[in-house]
Amino acid sequence: MSGIVAIIGRPNVGKSTLFNRLVESRQAIVDDMSGVTRDRNYGQSLWNGIAFSLIDTGGYVPESSDVFESAIREQVHIAMEEADLLLFMVDGRAGITPLDEEFAEIVRRNPKKVFLIVNKLDTPQMSDSQYEFYQLGLPEVFAVSAATGTGTGDLLDAVVAALPPDKVLEDHEGLPRIAVVGRPNVGKSSVINAFLGRPAQIVTPVAGTTRDAIDTRYTAFGMDLVLVDTAGLRRKSKVEENIEFYSTLRTVRAIETCDVAMLLLDATQGMESQDMAIFSLIQKHSKGIVILVNKWDLVEKDHKSTLEFEKLIRERTAPFTDLPIIFTSALTRQRLLKALETAVEVCKRRSLRIPTHELNEVLQEAIAKHHPPAHRGHIIRIKYATQVPASVPTFLLFANHPDHVDESYKRYLENQLRERFGFTGVPINVFFRKK
Ligand code: GDP
Ligand code: GDP
């Protein structure tokens, strides 16, 4: 199960505070590993083993005051179209405001599920304040304190129970799903159009565009796959923040539903924080990845150009540096076919099962080349490995002192497995267990 949950509501009701609380635990772990800075607008939440994506509309606040109210109104509409569940938040201490009433009116007409979150009820005595808000006509009410955490456990229970089951994509079942993602203007539409040989762009100024419209079947050059497109659907808005909000929701959705993400970068601009945010989202979802350095035709090249660019990307993405990087041009079609073939290859590798004897041969060779360092006089012995069923290749390595295998040695073994089995672009897990 998975899904997108959006927190909406007028400013200052506590949306960001709730967001931070709900993404807290998991984010901390992931960020430690990747060194990727956390994005305050969207993240992953994990509750009772169920992961979902959480988006905070409060992170998309326009600076200009004359569009402010209309912009947040529009955010409610975007969230209604794109999210699976809405958390409509109000300030339990401030009482109902006209803007709350207006939002309630909009979301009541919405077929998607909405929870009314009455926030800032920090003490048990305050919890009676929630009843006033029943007037808003939304039956599922949760009294919480985002600041102290009171009530958030019950809320999370209800959230995960309300998430839709993973949609079975009957039409294209079993085909590789490849998402084309990247920030605006990197060339996503151009690349998709070049793949398909026709313009695929659809502009949606109006509500109600179904999200399945982003799937396009691609069959050519012996390939059969589904392109998951975030570019084809564009939302017109006068407000930059809302275009970004919409594009984020689309990107999260595309990444959630794909096997492999093609992350486009603009060769004239390098790898910036927005690119990094998308990269880390792909990592968090354990999806395969291929990096396309697009608009390569615009770069003045000498013999070192690709190497320098690759180095820059690997620095930014460390320690996940085992990535296919392809220099493309949508304009001249340079290496586009190679990009697709690589994505299909990554997809295959993502579900690779390695025979146990082969796995152990490689492991023993790696250990013979370079023994695990002893830990406080304990000699570390790694006996054997086995692959366990999981959505990405996952290996258990059995050792006498699993807790004492140091990080750099783990990375060494992981890299050996990556090299020998061609896991470039594929997320893999290596865990140590007591024999
Ligand atoms: P947003 O604009 O909706 O994202 O609201 P923020 O999360 O930025 O919170 C607005 C203000 O309300 C901040 O000063 C928060 O510290 C405060 N706040 C948020 N949640 C609570 C809460 O549960 N109790 C109390 N007392 N204050 C809160
Ligand atoms: P999107 O917002 O990511 O879908 O980007 P678009 O496909 O709309 O491209 C943005 C701009 O970059 C357009 O003007 C394209 O013509 C241009 N563009 C896209 N790919 C390339 C490329 O490989 N080379 C050059 N020179 N221009 C490109």
Side-chain angles (χ1 to χ4, degrees):
M1 234 178 332
S2 63
I4 299 181
V5 178
I7 312 175
I8 59 169
R10 65 181 176 81
N12 270 323
V13 293
K15 297 185 295 299
S16 311
T17 309
L18 182 69
F19 172 83
N20 285 328
R21 177 167 288 281
L22 300 192
V23 297
E24 201 168 49
S25 50
R26 168 151 178 149
Q27 203 98 21
I29 302 166
V30 175
D31 286 355
D32 252 14
M33 271 167 34
S34 62
V36 167
T37 50
R38 150 176 183 176
D39 195 292
R40 68 197 170 92
N41 305 339
Y42 59 93
Q44 278 254 313
S45 198
L46 187 68
W47 185 251
N48 292 340
I50 296 169
F52 58 92
S53 300
L54 191 67
I55 315 239
D56 171 19
T57 54
Y60 300 86
V61 177
E63 294 198 350
S64 141
S65 58
D66 55 317
V67 294
F68 191 81
E69 283 217 351
S70 67
I72 57 175
R73 253 178 221 119
E74 191 182 37
Q75 283 175 4
V76 174
H77 284 283
I78 298 173
M80 271 188 333
E81 289 161 29
E82 298 296 327
D84 297 304
L85 172 67
L86 303 186
L87 306 183
F88 170 32
M89 194 176 234
V90 291
D91 182 335
R93 298 187 183 191
I96 297 172
T97 70
L99 201 52
D100 292 336
E101 275 170 350
E102 190 188 325
F103 285 173
E105 168 89 35
I106 300 169
V107 297
R108 270 203 313 268
R109 284 187 256 124
N110 160 35
K112 297 234 177 97
K113 219 168 170 62
V114 182
F115 292 168
L116 179 65
I117 316 296
V118 185
N119 188 36
K120 306 197 187 179
L121 304 181
D122 301 348
T123 62
Q125 297 88 297
M126 289 177 177
S127 93
D128 281 353
S129 307
Q130 66 180 290
Y131 299 112
E132 174 192 352
F133 294 89
Y134 280 76
Q135 296 173 39
L136 293 175
L138 293 160
E140 294 184 81
V141 180
F142 294 83
V144 307
S145 165
T148 66
T150 307
T152 53
D154 290 343
L155 172 62
L156 280 165
D157 284 342
V159 166
V160 297
L163 290 177
D166 275 339
K167 257 199 309 180
V168 186
L169 302 151
E170 305 92 359
D171 295 354
H172 306 303
E173 215 185 325
L175 293 181
R177 295 179 57 81
I178 297 170
V180 179
V181 296
R183 63 187 155 84
N185 260 333
V186 289
K188 297 180 296 297
S189 305
S190 308
V191 162
I192 295 248
N193 293 349
F195 284 152
L196 298 176
R198 64 177 159 81
Q201 183 169 318
I202 314 157
V203 178
T204 55
V206 288
T209 315
T210 70
R211 65 173 71 104
D212 301 320
I214 62 174
D215 281 10
T216 311
R217 179 99 173 244
Y218 174 92
T219 47
F221 302 102
M223 286 184 276
D224 191 357
L225 52 86
V226 176
L227 288 171
V228 185
D229 176 7
T230 54
L233 293 162
R234 286 187 197 220
R235 196 187 169 92
K236 282 189 173 155
S237 173
K238 291 191 191 72
V239 187
E240 186 62 36
E241 286 80 1
N242 282 349
I243 295 175
E244 192 193 325
F245 175 51
Y246 180 74
S247 138
T248 302
L249 282 161
R250 282 274 160 195
T251 305
V252 171
R253 174 78 65 198
I255 291 172
E256 274 194 348
T257 63
C258 79
D259 300 307
V260 177
M262 272 189 182
L263 172 59
L264 267 65
L265 306 180
D266 184 327
T268 63
Q269 307 203 5
M271 192 165 190
E272 298 175 353
S273 66
Q274 237 185 314
D275 304 316
M276 291 297 302
I278 302 174
F279 175 80
S280 90
L281 199 63
I282 300 167
Q283 291 287 345
K284 281 176 200 164
H285 282 83
S286 295
K287 302 299 182 172
I289 185 164
V290 178
I291 292 188
L292 270 59
V293 182
N294 192 43
K295 307 195 189 179
W296 193 238
D297 57 286
L298 294 179
V299 173
E300 280 214 39
K301 295 173 262 294
D302 61 33
H303 62 287
K304 311 194 291 279
S305 310
T306 56
L307 286 177
E308 276 164 11
F309 216 108
E310 281 184 15
K311 185 161 163 263
L312 173 103
I313 294 173
R314 292 192 209 285
E315 275 167 13
R316 295 277 153 87
T317 57
F320 303 104
T321 52
D322 190 17
L323 306 162
I325 299 171
I326 299 174
F327 295 84
T328 61
S329 164
L331 194 73
T332 68
R333 295 172 177 254
Q334 192 182 22
R335 285 189 281 272
L336 285 184
L337 195 57
K338 171 148 192 247
L340 263 189
E341 284 166 352
T342 307
V344 171
E345 185 56 30
V346 170
C347 187
K348 274 192 203 138
R349 296 271 154 177
R350 211 168 153 257
S351 51
L352 192 67
R353 294 276 314 172
I354 296 166
T356 306
H357 71 272
E358 230 177 280
L359 178 63
N360 282 285
E361 263 170 43
V362 167
L363 183 74
Q364 291 313 327
E365 255 175 55
I367 293 171
K369 252 199 287 183
H370 179 25
H371 287 278
H375 177 85
R376 295 200 186 142
H378 292 292
I379 293 175
I380 311 273
R381 289 196 185 81
I382 299 166
K383 300 285 186 195
Y384 68 98
T386 174
Q387 185 177 0
V388 293
S391 58
V392 300
T394 299
F395 304 97
L396 294 186
L397 273 55
F398 293 90
N400 55 347
H401 298 293
D403 298 338
H404 295 162
V405 183
D406 74 38
E407 269 314 308
S408 64
Y409 195 74
K410 274 184 202 171
R411 198 159 308 142
Y412 162 73
L413 288 182
E414 180 181 327
N415 287 339
Q416 291 287 308
L417 293 176
R418 292 190 154 282
E419 217 171 273
R420 291 295 296 269
F421 297 110
F423 284 131
T424 302
V426 179
I428 69 171
N429 293 317
V430 175
F431 297 116
F432 286 83
R433 290 282 183 276
K434 184 100 185 144
K435 203 178 98 69

